[in-house]
Structure formats: C-alpha cells, structure tokens
Amino acid sequence: MHKLFKLSVIAVLTITLSACSFMAPRRAIVPAALADVGTIEAGVTLRYWGDDEQFASGHTKVKPGSDGRVDFLTLSGGGINGAYGAGYLVGWSRSGQRPDFEVVTGISVGAIIAPLAFLGPQYDERLKVVFSSLTEASNPAADFISAVLGAPSIMSNAPVLEAIRNVVDQQVLDAVGKAHRDGRRLYIGTTNLDAQRPVVWDIGAIANSNLPNRLQLVHNIILASAAVPGVFPPVLVDVSAQGHQFNELHVDGGVTQQVLLMPGGYGTRSKNGTSRLYVIFNGVVEPTRETVQISSLSLLGRAVPTMLKYLGRANLSELASSARAGGLSYRMTAIPADFPESSSVFGSPAWLAMLFDYGVASGQAGAWYDRN
C-alpha cells in the first residue's frame, strides 16, 4: 500500500503541475447543510459516519455465536499486500482454529477479502481468486498523459471492478443477507472526500434492502474502498435529500483510517466467554530502513508512506485499547519487517505467490504479533 501511495504522490504532483485542461463532469454535490441527511433508501439505515458513535448502537448488540463469544475480524488495506491476508485466512482454516466471525470489517483490499472471510472457510477457494486477481493485475499501464491533461487518475479501475464482481456475485450477496438476518454483521469502510469523513457501510443491510441495484451498489462500495486517490478514479454514490438527487465522492477508506475503528467502542460483550478481536494487517508496522535521495519527489515518496505507517500504528493502538476497554481479547498479525519488499508498485507474480504462501504458513502456525 505504501508503494501505491508513492504512486499517488507522483500522480498528484503530475496533476497539480499540469495545465488541468481536462473538463471534469458536472456533479450534483450534496450541500453541506444536507450532508447528514442524504440517504440511499428512504427510511432505512444502510451506513454510518465512521467517526460517529451512533454506529455502536448496532454492532454492540450482535448476539454471541454457538461458543458464547462474539468474534470480530478486522482486515486492513494494503494493496498488493492483501495477498498476505488472503493467504493467512486460508492457512488459518487449515489449522482448524479459525472461528466463525460474528462481525467482519474491511477497508481497501481488506474490503475485497471481507465478504469471503465473513462467510467462512467454505469460501477459501474464492479467496484464492483475490490473490489470482492481484497477480493478473500486476504492473498495469499508467496513463500519465491523461493525468497531465487533468484526468482524475493515472490508472483504470476496470481490472479491480472485474475482480470484485468475480468475488462478490449474487450468491455471495444472498449469503451475506442471510447471515445478517441471523444477527451477524459485515461492514466496509470508505472515505467521503466531499465531507472529509470516514463512512461505514452495512453490507448485510444493503443485501436485505429493496434496492434493485443492491449488488451493483456493493460492488461500487468495495471499489470506492480500494480507490487510492490519484491512482484509481473516485466512485460517485447517488443519494437523495429533501426530495433532491445528489452524489457523493468516495475514495479509499485508508485515507481516513487504515483499519475500521468501530466508533463507540464494543460495549459489554458476551457473558459466557471472552469475546475476541482479530486483526489482519496487510502491511508492515515496524520501521524499515531505506536510503532517500535529496529531491522533492524522493522526499515526498518516503514521507507520505512514513506518515501512513504511523497512522496505521496509531489506528491499531486505538483499536486495541477500545477492544480491551470492552473486555475483548486482542490479537493482530502483520507482515514482518524482514519480509522482502516488492521491487515494483504492483508486485511480480513470483513475489505475490511468495507473500501468499507466507500468509498461508503464518495462518496455519497462528503467527500473532506480540506488540500492542
């Protein structure tokens, strides 16, 4: 993900220094006064602000599973590093120790993985599809010419959307809807760039809604969650407010938080056993050394990923504190600092296979990080 954000820095600089001759389409932007009342389906709550404790009223009432616990799984962003998370889940299944999760959350590449992690080990073959999609999409062409002319991104999101469609089809959405009716919850995070706020989408509620385009909406939410600004196009989401139609601009959930922070905390958890929060962090949390050239591009290319790394560390610390305050045990896994870094932004098939296999081995061994 950090390399992808380096590419984002280059894209932003390119666009900023361009003549900006590209004519952006006119938008029906939500007026600031109506930002809090825009809805997808009238009278139905399908999403929450990710920094508003109203969200807690739903997720703190999730009933425990058959083991008496509520098991939470949080999947971070990470771009090509999502091969680690996909592999970890497969290995965890093989170990026989992977629980059934009552609540699963995902951001960016974690949003692509989340529906399958939510539905259980029987969907592990589709998790391999995520990894395969990352491999097949490695090193796509970047269109800097269009960026110079003011286009919103340097790359097409068509391959990402195709991967999402392959992972989440109508059968998967129906299964998510049934799980939601049974009391379980699946949440995906995006960033509303107009409002400059995180948004949490209740995917199970959408699956059970009366929206005729609910599958397409879920695809667009996941696509937006993975839309690194400047690299991939933003996603417009249609909303209505006071009888008028508007659209919101949504991008990568990782812009505001690297993991979904569960606003409002976890409340009082299960009575028959300690509930648990598991976090799969698709990235490296420890500092890593790299020689930096003294040029504006090199300095920004190093500074932005460093800033994001420490945002991720702060998010993980906040998540751990919130979980423990609610009486949950907390376990986190991440890619170790000594794992070889990809030499390219999108990874090579060989590197992705190595990371996926490392994830499988880590999941099978139960390799949990011992740092808070």
Side-chain angles (χ1 to χ4, degrees), residues 187-224:
Y187 300 114
I188 299 297
T190 66
T191 297
N192 181 327
L193 209 55
D194 292 320
Q196 208 173 46
R197 296 177 72 183
V199 177
V200 180
W201 297 85
D202 189 336
I203 304 302
I206 294 171
N208 286 307
S209 72
N210 293 317
L211 294 171
N213 65 331
R214 54 189 177 275
L215 180 60
Q216 180 184 353
L217 176 60
V218 170
H219 289 163
N220 285 341
I221 290 166
I222 298 174
L223 186 65

Side-chain angles (χ1 to χ4, degrees), residues 8-336:
S8 181
V9 169
I10 296 172
V12 170
L13 286 175
T14 301
I15 294 169
T16 301
L17 296 173
S18 74
C20 295
S21 59
F22 177 83
M23 295 299 294
R26 293 180 62 84
R27 293 179 51 211
I29 302 172
V30 182
L34 301 180
D36 288 338
V37 298
T39 62
I40 309 296
E41 182 180 10
V44 181
T45 301
L46 301 179
R47 61 186 185 162
Y48 304 85
W49 290 115
D51 53 7
D52 190 329
E53 294 191 2
Q54 177 197 6
F55 174 55
S57 63
H59 75 75
T60 56
K61 295 178 182 177
V62 174
K63 67 179 182 180
S66 58
D67 60 359
R69 297 185 172 97
V70 176
D71 287 310
F72 293 79
L73 173 67
T74 290
L75 297 153
S76 81
I80 55 174
N81 288 332
Y84 176 76
Y88 196 97
L89 285 162
V90 171
W92 200 357
S93 296
R94 292 179 184 175
S95 74
Q97 300 301 309
R98 177 176 159 184
D100 294 325
F101 302 109
E102 280 67 51
V103 179
V104 174
T105 77
I107 279 178
S108 199
V109 72
I112 303 175
I113 298 171
L116 305 179
F118 178 69
L119 294 178
Q122 63 269 36
Y123 285 82
D124 281 358
E125 286 303 312
R126 291 209 192 194
L127 274 173
K128 295 177 183 178
V129 171
V130 176
F131 159 69
S132 298
S133 298
L134 289 169
T135 303
E136 292 168 6
S138 63
N139 298 310
D143 185 0
F144 286 99
I145 299 299
S146 294
V148 167
L149 296 176
S153 68
I154 61 173
M155 292 183 180
S156 168
N157 60 8
V160 182
L161 179 58
E162 183 62 24
I164 292 167
R165 287 170 173 166
N166 288 334
V167 169
V168 182
D169 56 17
Q170 189 62 54
Q171 184 273 326
V172 165
L173 191 63
D174 290 344
V176 170
K178 181 182 183 305
H180 182 89
R181 295 192 299 274
D182 291 339
R184 299 168 61 214
R185 296 293 180 264
L186 171 62
Y187 300 114
I188 299 297
T190 66
T191 297
N192 181 327
L193 209 55
D194 292 320
Q196 208 173 46
R197 296 177 72 183
V199 177
V200 180
W201 297 85
D202 189 336
I203 304 302
I206 294 171
N208 286 307
S209 72
N210 293 317
L211 294 171
N213 65 331
R214 54 189 177 275
L215 180 60
Q216 180 184 353
L217 176 60
V218 170
H219 289 163
N220 285 341
I221 290 166
I222 298 174
L223 186 65
S225 187
V228 178
V231 177
F232 295 116
V235 175
L236 294 176
V237 176
D238 294 329
V239 300
S240 61
Q242 294 187 356
H244 298 281
Q245 299 299 311
F246 304 100
N247 55 55
E248 301 170 342
L249 193 70
H250 287 256
V251 298
D252 194 334
V255 169
T256 44
Q257 49 190 20
Q258 299 289 291
V259 291
L260 203 152
L261 292 175
M262 305 296 283
Y266 292 86
T268 302
R269 299 311 331 158
S270 59
K271 299 179 181 178
N272 299 327
T274 301
S275 293
R276 302 172 290 194
L277 169 62
Y278 299 94
V279 181
I280 297 179
F281 192 80
N282 294 301
V284 178
V285 296
E286 295 295 346
T288 54
R289 292 193 60 81
E290 179 181 315
T291 301
V292 182
Q293 301 301 319
I294 305 178
S295 68
S296 58
L297 195 59
S298 295
L299 291 168
L300 280 170
R302 180 63 166 170
V304 171
T306 300
M307 177 181 67
L308 290 169
K309 175 173 284 190
Y310 277 83
L311 170 63
R313 287 162 63 106
N315 288 164
L316 289 171
S317 178
E318 182 178 348
L319 197 66
S321 296
S322 178
R324 287 171 178 151
L328 282 73
S329 66
Y330 173 84
R331 308 195 86 176
M332 189 270 287
T333 184
I335 301 171

